[in-house]
Amino acid sequence: MAAALLANVLYSTGFVLEKRALTAMPSVSVRKPVRLLRQVLGSPLWIGGSLALAAGFGAQLMVYRTLPIAAAQGIFVSGLVLLLLLSSALLGERTSGRERYAVGAILLALLMVVLSLSETDDTVSRGAPAPLVLTVCLPSLAAGVWLYGSAERRARHRHRMPSAGVEYGVAVGLLYGVSSLAIKGVSSHLTTDGLGGALVDLLLSPYPYLLLFTGAFGLVMSQAALQRCRASLIVPVCTTVTALFTAVLGTLAFGEALPHEPVRLALRVAGTVLAVSVLLAMPKHDGPTPRSTPPPKELTSG
């Protein structure tokens, strides 16, 4: 539990620091990944944010060794509250009432998932069949890259309303969902006994290669999306998609059984449906910036 809460703090801090650094940079593009990397690596503030995210990754490894996947995701999503506070205080971002209600509903949905867990009945799986993992992950990676490309093409149309970041968040969330499953897989191979054999088994599994792919593509895609959209919207959407993907498909892939009791099963299903419904109902575009009205002309006599 302590490691999960620490991961929340590190991830929220890392995203906000990266967003603040990206705001001061020239426009970055996924079409020029080398230029993007050169820009971000030249920013001490961005490097600080990436180090915080890397530390959050280490904490996440510890969590997956001790908690079921669904429980871990429920705790991770609770970090959205901290993210909203930090983005308001450090980035000056203001969320609409509709978005605040949506985040509250998402937290409620994940709370329902957590309440569906049982300390005695739920087990922590230590592995999953590689073909099943690839069957789940490869189509998801393809869908994430395609959706991101579609959002990019639509964003290039001058007369379209500016995107609020929902599509970007879903696309990056799919990649991070695959990454989360890969982290779970890596954690299952980390043992203190027979370290050499465990390392060989890990290299023969798909997990390190999924991590490399999602790490490289996720880095480029998330930085461009963060620069264009509000962190207070794109990160909650991304986190929700990641959490649902990991909790539902990860539970099935790693064989962590669903609840048998009707109440607990209803809580888990209802929580999942609520989170997906809120995600679909979130605004897809930011409203136009209000313009100041010109002062009225003075009336002249005669």
Side-chain angles (χ1 to χ4, degrees), residues 3 10 49 56 65 121 153 211 215 235 245 263:
L10 291 170
R65 289 186 60 82
D121 297 335
R153 287 190 293 272
L211 273 179
V235 177
F245 179 94
V263 174

Side-chain angles (χ1 to χ4, degrees), residues 30 57 63-64 74 89 106 115 128 138 147 152 172 187-188 199-200 202 204 215-216 221 242 270:
V30 293
F57 166 82
V63 173
Y64 281 144
I106 289 171
L115 291 176
L138 294 182
L147 182 59
E152 285 281 278
V172 177
S187 71
S188 67
L199 180 59
V200 172
L202 177 61
L204 292 175
M221 290 164 59
T242 299

Side-chain angles (χ1 to χ4, degrees), residues 59-109:
Q60 194 174 358
L61 279 175
M62 296 174 58
V63 173
Y64 281 144
R65 289 186 60 82
T66 55
L67 286 178
I69 292 176
Q73 296 310 308
I75 298 172
F76 289 149
V77 172
S78 67
L80 293 177
V81 176
L82 176 61
L83 174 76
L84 289 178
L85 293 175
L86 289 176
S87 62
S88 176
L90 300 180
L91 302 176
E93 295 183 352
R94 300 180 63 182
T95 56
S96 68
R98 182 179 174 184
E99 291 166 356
R100 286 192 293 271
Y101 285 128
V103 171
I106 289 171
L107 292 176
L108 174 62

Side-chain angles (χ1 to χ4, degrees), residues 204-255:
L204 292 175
S205 74
Y207 304 122
Y209 312 105
L210 288 173
L211 273 179
L212 286 174
F213 182 90
T214 55
F217 277 78
L219 172 65
V220 174
M221 290 164 59
S222 63
Q223 299 313 300
L226 266 177
Q227 188 182 60
R228 294 170 191 169
C229 310
R230 286 183 289 119
S232 56
L233 180 66
I234 190 172
V235 177
V237 172
C238 175
T239 303
T240 303
V241 173
T242 299
L244 289 172
F245 179 94
T246 309
V248 177
L249 297 180
T251 297
L252 297 175
F254 283 86

